[in-house]
Amino acid sequence: DIQMTQSPSSLSASVGDRVTITCRASQDIGNDLAWLQQKPGRAPKSLIYDISNLETGVPSQFSGSGSGTDFNITISSLQPDDFATYYCQQYNTFPWTFGQGTKVEI
Amino acid sequence: EVQLLESGGGLVQPGGSLRLSCEGSGFIFNIYAMSWVRQAPGKGLEWVSVMSGSGASTYYADSVKGRFTISRDNSKNTVYLQMDSLRAEDTAVYYCAKGSLRGVVRKHWDYWGQGTLVTVSS
């Protein structure tokens, strides 16, 4: 199975901060990388697919980058609505796997 | 507007069975792959299974292979997850998720249901 490792596991930040979360795959997954956001008690929401493409309606402060095995999601200016847990996920090879999550706290 | 509505969760004893349903609306159901993803209490996300739009292709996580069966009835815009031989470690919120690209299984999800809780306990 492809292991997805996120760092950090959690972080504290303030509104307006620039935040970057890293995700590393245990093998090359090409472009098959997505980022999801989840708030407590809510379903996940898809934010970014194919490394850097924003889902419809996702604010432009979100961006994704990387290639091969190393990927990032960056929030350029953290907004109150962005405090949540973020997951990376690979859909290159079955079983599809997720990172362990990064909790972004105030 | 795309909507996914899960149902069928509940309390079941170890070794028991349960069938989850996910009804889709707002899109052409039979051309998109549908997946099940679960989340144990306080834990991360785990992919469970996916079925192609036609139903011809299915894939499972090793943790559920041989115990869970995914199926769909495109006339009812519904995908199912039949869960047999349930274990305590299957306790989770189960989400259905819609594939993003028509006719393609190996692609990201674009919409998620609200989830249904399955509790396996005696």
Side-chain angles (χ1 to χ4, degrees):
Chain A
D1 298 3
I2 296 177
Q3 306 303 315
M4 306 296 289
T5 304
Q6 284 181 237
S7 61
S9 296
S10 65
L11 64 91
S12 296
S14 300
V15 172
D17 284 355
R18 181 182 180 89
V19 167
T20 297
I21 299 167
T22 296
C23 177
R24 174 164 288 174
S26 59
Q27 64 190 71
D28 192 331
I29 59 170
N31 292 340
D32 299 330
L33 189 282
W35 289 96
L36 305 122
Q37 177 194 66
Q38 188 178 34
K39 297 179 181 178
R42 305 287 299 274
K45 174 186 174 183
S46 296
L47 293 180
I48 291 171
Y49 64 94
D50 293 351
I51 300 178
S52 61
N53 293 290
L54 266 61
E55 291 283 359
T56 303
V58 173
S60 59
Q61 73 253 29
F62 290 94
S63 64
S65 63
S67 64
T69 61
D70 293 299
F71 308 93
N72 295 318
I73 182 173
T74 296
I75 310 171
S76 59
S77 178
L78 203 61
Q79 299 302 301
D81 193 47
D82 302 335
F83 291 94
T85 298
Y86 294 84
Y87 294 92
C88 61
Q89 182 247 336
Q90 66 83 16
Y91 42 92
N92 180 266
T93 303
F94 289 114
W96 294 337
T97 47
F98 295 86
Q100 79 278 17
T102 297
K103 188 173 184 180
V104 177
E105 300 176 293
I106 299 174
Chain B
E1 178 191 7
V2 171
Q3 290 192 326
L4 300 171
L5 187 62
E6 300 99 335
S7 60
L11 175 64
V12 60
Q13 292 188 337
S17 297
L18 210 57
R19 188 177 82 156
L20 306 183
S21 301
C22 170
E23 183 176 2
S25 61
F27 62 101
I28 304 172
F29 189 80
N30 64 6
I31 61 173
Y32 290 97
M34 296 295 296
S35 292
W36 289 96
V37 176
R38 69 183 180 182
Q39 186 170 37
K43 302 297 184 182
L45 299 166
E46 180 188 17
W47 169 74
V48 173
S49 183
V50 62
M51 173 171 267
S52 62
S54 67
S57 300
T58 59
Y59 300 88
Y60 296 93
D62 285 347
S63 57
V64 306
K65 200 173 294 182
R67 300 188 300 122
F68 290 11
T69 303
I70 191 171
S71 63
R72 62 193 296 161
D73 184 340
N74 286 337
S75 69
K76 295 181 179 179
N77 287 358
T78 301
V79 62
Y80 304 98
L81 187 67
Q82 176 67 41
M83 305 185 294
D84 299 320
S85 303
L86 282 161
R87 307 166 179 166
E89 54 264 37
D90 296 318
T91 295
V93 175
Y94 285 73
Y95 299 100
C96 65
K98 171 187 167 293
S100 58
L101 195 61
R102 54 195 300 166
V104 177
V105 171
R106 296 173 188 255
K107 202 59 179 171
H108 64 287
W109 305 295
D110 53 5
Y111 291 94
W112 295 69
Q114 85 291 347
T116 187
L117 176 62
V118 173
T119 303
V120 184
S121 175
S122 55

Short mmCIF file of all heavy atoms in Angstrom, two decimals, chain B residues 17-18 22 30 32 37 49-50 59-60 62 71 73 87-88 92 94 98 107 122:
data_model
loop_
_atom_site.label_atom_id
_atom_site.label_comp_id
_atom_site.label_asym_id
_atom_site.label_seq_id
_atom_site.Cartn_x
_atom_site.Cartn_y
_atom_site.Cartn_z
N SER B 17 -25.07 -8.15 10.37
CA SER B 17 -25.05 -7.55 9.04
C SER B 17 -25.84 -6.25 9.03
O SER B 17 -26.73 -6.04 9.85
CB SER B 17 -25.67 -8.52 8.01
OG SER B 17 -24.92 -9.70 7.91
N LEU B 18 -25.51 -5.43 8.04
CA LEU B 18 -26.19 -4.16 7.85
C LEU B 18 -26.03 -3.77 6.40
O LEU B 18 -25.00 -4.08 5.78
CB LEU B 18 -25.57 -3.09 8.76
CG LEU B 18 -26.41 -1.93 9.28
CD1 LEU B 18 -27.62 -2.44 10.05
CD2 LEU B 18 -25.56 -1.05 10.16
N CYS B 22 -27.06 4.83 -0.39
CA CYS B 22 -26.71 6.21 -0.72
C CYS B 22 -27.44 6.59 -2.00
O CYS B 22 -27.16 6.03 -3.07
CB CYS B 22 -25.20 6.36 -0.90
SG CYS B 22 -24.68 7.95 -1.59
N ASN B 30 -25.74 7.03 -13.47
CA ASN B 30 -25.16 5.79 -13.99
C ASN B 30 -23.85 5.96 -14.75
O ASN B 30 -23.31 4.97 -15.26
CB ASN B 30 -26.18 5.05 -14.85
CG ASN B 30 -26.58 5.83 -16.09
OD1 ASN B 30 -26.04 6.89 -16.39
ND2 ASN B 30 -27.55 5.30 -16.83
N TYR B 32 -21.17 7.75 -13.30
CA TYR B 32 -20.14 8.10 -12.34
C TYR B 32 -19.87 6.96 -11.36
O TYR B 32 -20.81 6.34 -10.85
CB TYR B 32 -20.52 9.35 -11.55
CG TYR B 32 -20.51 10.60 -12.39
CD1 TYR B 32 -21.69 11.09 -12.95
CD2 TYR B 32 -19.33 11.27 -12.65
CE1 TYR B 32 -21.68 12.22 -13.74
CE2 TYR B 32 -19.31 12.42 -13.43
CZ TYR B 32 -20.49 12.89 -13.97
OH TYR B 32 -20.48 14.02 -14.74
N VAL B 37 -16.41 5.61 1.96
CA VAL B 37 -15.25 5.98 2.77
C VAL B 37 -15.74 6.01 4.21
O VAL B 37 -16.86 6.47 4.48
CB VAL B 37 -14.72 7.37 2.37
CG1 VAL B 37 -13.57 7.81 3.29
CG2 VAL B 37 -14.26 7.37 0.91
N SER B 49 -14.49 1.15 -0.53
CA SER B 49 -14.83 0.45 -1.76
C SER B 49 -15.24 1.45 -2.83
O SER B 49 -15.65 2.58 -2.51
CB SER B 49 -15.98 -0.53 -1.51
OG SER B 49 -16.30 -1.28 -2.67
N VAL B 50 -15.17 1.02 -4.08
CA VAL B 50 -15.64 1.84 -5.20
C VAL B 50 -16.25 0.92 -6.25
O VAL B 50 -15.82 -0.23 -6.41
CB VAL B 50 -14.49 2.68 -5.82
CG1 VAL B 50 -13.39 1.80 -6.39
CG2 VAL B 50 -15.02 3.64 -6.88
N TYR B 59 -13.77 -2.47 -6.44
CA TYR B 59 -12.52 -2.59 -5.71
C TYR B 59 -12.82 -2.42 -4.22
O TYR B 59 -13.72 -1.69 -3.86
CB TYR B 59 -11.52 -1.52 -6.16
CG TYR B 59 -11.18 -1.58 -7.62
CD1 TYR B 59 -11.95 -0.89 -8.56
CD2 TYR B 59 -10.10 -2.32 -8.09
CE1 TYR B 59 -11.65 -0.94 -9.91
CE2 TYR B 59 -9.80 -2.39 -9.44
CZ TYR B 59 -10.58 -1.69 -10.34
OH TYR B 59 -10.30 -1.75 -11.67
N TYR B 60 -12.00 -3.09 -3.40
CA TYR B 60 -12.22 -3.07 -1.96
C TYR B 60 -10.90 -2.88 -1.22
O TYR B 60 -9.84 -3.33 -1.67
CB TYR B 60 -12.83 -4.39 -1.49
CG TYR B 60 -14.20 -4.68 -2.03
CD1 TYR B 60 -14.36 -5.44 -3.19
CD2 TYR B 60 -15.33 -4.21 -1.39
CE1 TYR B 60 -15.62 -5.71 -3.70
CE2 TYR B 60 -16.60 -4.49 -1.88
CZ TYR B 60 -16.73 -5.24 -3.04
OH TYR B 60 -17.99 -5.50 -3.53
N ASP B 62 -8.48 -4.05 1.75
CA ASP B 62 -8.22 -5.38 2.29
C ASP B 62 -8.98 -5.62 3.58
O ASP B 62 -9.38 -6.75 3.88
CB ASP B 62 -6.72 -5.57 2.53
CG ASP B 62 -5.94 -5.79 1.24
OD1 ASP B 62 -6.58 -6.04 0.19
OD2 ASP B 62 -4.71 -5.69 1.27
N SER B 71 -22.73 -2.50 -4.32
CA SER B 71 -23.60 -2.74 -5.47
C SER B 71 -24.33 -1.44 -5.78
O SER B 71 -24.26 -0.48 -5.01
CB SER B 71 -24.60 -3.86 -5.20
OG SER B 71 -25.46 -3.52 -4.12
N ASP B 73 -28.02 0.22 -7.93
CA ASP B 73 -29.22 0.10 -8.74
C ASP B 73 -29.39 1.44 -9.44
O ASP B 73 -29.88 2.40 -8.83
CB ASP B 73 -30.43 -0.24 -7.86
CG ASP B 73 -31.69 -0.48 -8.66
OD1 ASP B 73 -31.76 -0.03 -9.83
OD2 ASP B 73 -32.63 -1.10 -8.13
N ARG B 87 -17.45 -6.35 12.68
CA ARG B 87 -16.54 -6.38 13.83
C ARG B 87 -16.58 -5.04 14.53
O ARG B 87 -16.98 -4.03 13.95
CB ARG B 87 -15.11 -6.66 13.35
CG ARG B 87 -14.95 -7.89 12.47
CD ARG B 87 -13.60 -7.87 11.78
NE ARG B 87 -13.40 -9.05 10.95
CZ ARG B 87 -12.42 -9.15 10.04
NH1 ARG B 87 -11.56 -8.16 9.87
NH2 ARG B 87 -12.31 -10.27 9.33
N ALA B 88 -16.12 -5.02 15.76
CA ALA B 88 -16.07 -3.77 16.51
C ALA B 88 -15.28 -2.70 15.75
O ALA B 88 -15.64 -1.51 15.77
CB ALA B 88 -15.47 -4.01 17.89
N ALA B 92 -17.88 3.15 12.67
CA ALA B 92 -17.42 4.35 11.97
C ALA B 92 -18.61 5.09 11.39
O ALA B 92 -19.72 4.55 11.30
CB ALA B 92 -16.47 3.97 10.83
N TYR B 94 -19.90 6.22 7.93
CA TYR B 94 -19.69 5.80 6.55
C TYR B 94 -20.23 6.88 5.62
O TYR B 94 -21.39 7.28 5.71
CB TYR B 94 -20.38 4.47 6.28
CG TYR B 94 -19.64 3.29 6.89
CD1 TYR B 94 -19.67 3.08 8.27
CD2 TYR B 94 -18.90 2.42 6.11
CE1 TYR B 94 -18.98 2.03 8.84
CE2 TYR B 94 -18.19 1.36 6.67
CZ TYR B 94 -18.24 1.18 8.04
OH TYR B 94 -17.55 0.13 8.62
N LYS B 98 -18.96 10.75 -4.63
CA LYS B 98 -19.17 10.65 -6.08
C LYS B 98 -17.85 10.85 -6.83
O LYS B 98 -17.10 11.81 -6.54
CB LYS B 98 -20.18 11.72 -6.51
CG LYS B 98 -20.34 11.87 -8.02
CD LYS B 98 -21.22 13.04 -8.32
CE LYS B 98 -21.15 13.42 -9.81
NZ LYS B 98 -19.83 13.95 -10.18
N LYS B 107 -10.35 8.26 -10.10
CA LYS B 107 -10.33 9.72 -10.12
C LYS B 107 -10.81 10.20 -8.77
O LYS B 107 -11.41 9.46 -8.00
CB LYS B 107 -11.22 10.23 -11.26
CG LYS B 107 -10.88 11.64 -11.72
CD LYS B 107 -9.44 11.76 -12.21
CE LYS B 107 -9.14 13.17 -12.69
NZ LYS B 107 -7.70 13.35 -12.97
N SER B 122 -21.90 -5.25 21.30
CA SER B 122 -22.84 -6.15 21.96
C SER B 122 -23.49 -5.46 23.16
O SER B 122 -24.35 -6.04 23.82
CB SER B 122 -22.13 -7.42 22.41
OG SER B 122 -21.02 -7.11 23.24
#
